[in-house]
Amino acid sequence: MTRDKKIIRALTFLFILSTSFSLYALLAKKNTAAPVFLFMYDKQRRFLSEDSLSRPEFWDNYPYYILVSMHKSIHLERYASDEKSKSLIEDRLKANKRLFYRFHYVAGQDSVYHQTLQSVTQSGRQVVLLTDRNSVAYLNNFIDTSKHNIDIVDVTDLPIYLEKPGLSYFFRVSKNNTVVDLFVPRKELPEVTDKYISYVFSTSK
């Protein structure tokens, strides 16, 4: 037997042995904690366990943006663009109407806006629309605001990372003034938007 073959056999034996010990240790430890994933974006860090990812409130198709924004402290009234908008936001928060839809118009996404705003109006729920001076001009293309009693508030850019790619999204402000239940609607799955709105209102009473 050549020297090279002996080395290969020895390495193979050590590999099998180490694998066996690792497997034994894993099986012997019955209460092993769930894996933890680290998400990083723009100097922000979030740790999330595998269990958390499987919870129903973790909806989404933009996980990195969602995770760095979840539970972020926010005083929404501070981002109102004028006193009237600030007063309206304060009134809605006091009345526990805490679900918001950030309408951020981007050309080419018209079908998403049509479907999303249709879900909002058909739900019969009190959803506050947050828009800005650039986007508000397009709002009437997707919803007849004269027919629907929907609060529309003018805001500046929010401290939520979904603002960066210019996405429109839902979120809820908790009673502790943190961002929760973030969700980005998709035109391919309008039924998920319906379920999301129903879910949020059924769990935020």
Side-chain angles (χ1 to χ4, degrees), residues 29 47 69 84 115 119 129 138 159 172 175 205:
K29 192 174 181 181
F47 291 92
S69 299
K84 181 180 178 181
Q115 291 174 352
S119 291
L129 268 61
Y138 298 94
R172 190 169 62 84
K175 292 182 179 180
K205 295 177 181 180

Side-chain angles (χ1 to χ4, degrees), residues 25-185:
L26 182 63
L27 293 175
K29 192 174 181 181
K30 295 180 181 179
N31 296 322
T32 302
V36 174
F37 301 92
L38 170 63
F39 292 85
M40 299 185 66
Y41 178 78
D42 192 23
K43 298 181 182 179
Q44 299 291 320
R45 299 181 183 182
R46 292 292 185 274
F47 291 92
L48 202 70
S49 70
E50 188 175 40
D51 291 341
S52 298
L53 289 171
S54 65
R55 291 175 187 168
E57 62 265 28
F58 184 80
W59 290 93
D60 205 81
N61 35 347
Y62 291 89
Y64 293 98
Y65 290 109
I66 296 289
L67 288 168
V68 298
S69 299
M70 285 287 282
H71 306 298
K72 187 175 181 66
S73 178
I74 185 171
H75 292 275
L76 193 56
E77 67 279 3
R78 296 177 184 175
Y79 298 91
S81 61
D82 52 54
E83 286 301 317
K84 181 180 178 181
S85 297
K86 179 180 179 181
S87 178
L88 184 56
I89 290 173
E90 290 174 339
D91 289 344
R92 295 302 173 266
L93 291 173
K94 288 177 182 177
N96 205 31
K97 296 176 181 177
R98 296 174 174 269
L99 180 62
F100 299 87
Y101 175 58
R102 173 65 164 105
F103 175 71
H104 191 134
Y105 182 78
V106 176
Q109 299 295 315
D110 291 21
S111 58
V112 178
Y113 307 137
H114 274 296
Q115 291 174 352
T116 302
L117 291 169
Q118 184 178 24
S119 291
V120 169
T121 56
Q122 290 181 348
S123 72
R125 305 289 190 173
Q126 291 286 335
V127 180
V128 180
L129 268 61
L130 304 178
T131 186
D132 54 76
R133 291 172 183 174
N134 295 324
S135 300
V136 69
Y138 298 94
L139 190 57
N140 279 322
N141 295 338
F142 312 108
I143 184 173
D144 187 346
T145 55
S146 65
K147 290 184 178 180
H148 301 283
N149 185 24
I150 295 177
D151 294 325
I152 301 172
V153 180
D154 191 22
V155 295
T156 57
D157 287 347
L158 304 178
I160 297 175
Y161 282 89
L162 287 164
E163 296 276 319
K164 292 183 180 292
L167 294 167
S168 291
Y169 55 93
F170 287 95
F171 69 99
R172 190 169 62 84
V173 177
S174 74
K175 292 182 179 180
N176 296 322
N177 291 315
T178 59
V179 176
V180 294
D181 294 327
L182 280 156
F183 171 64
V184 181

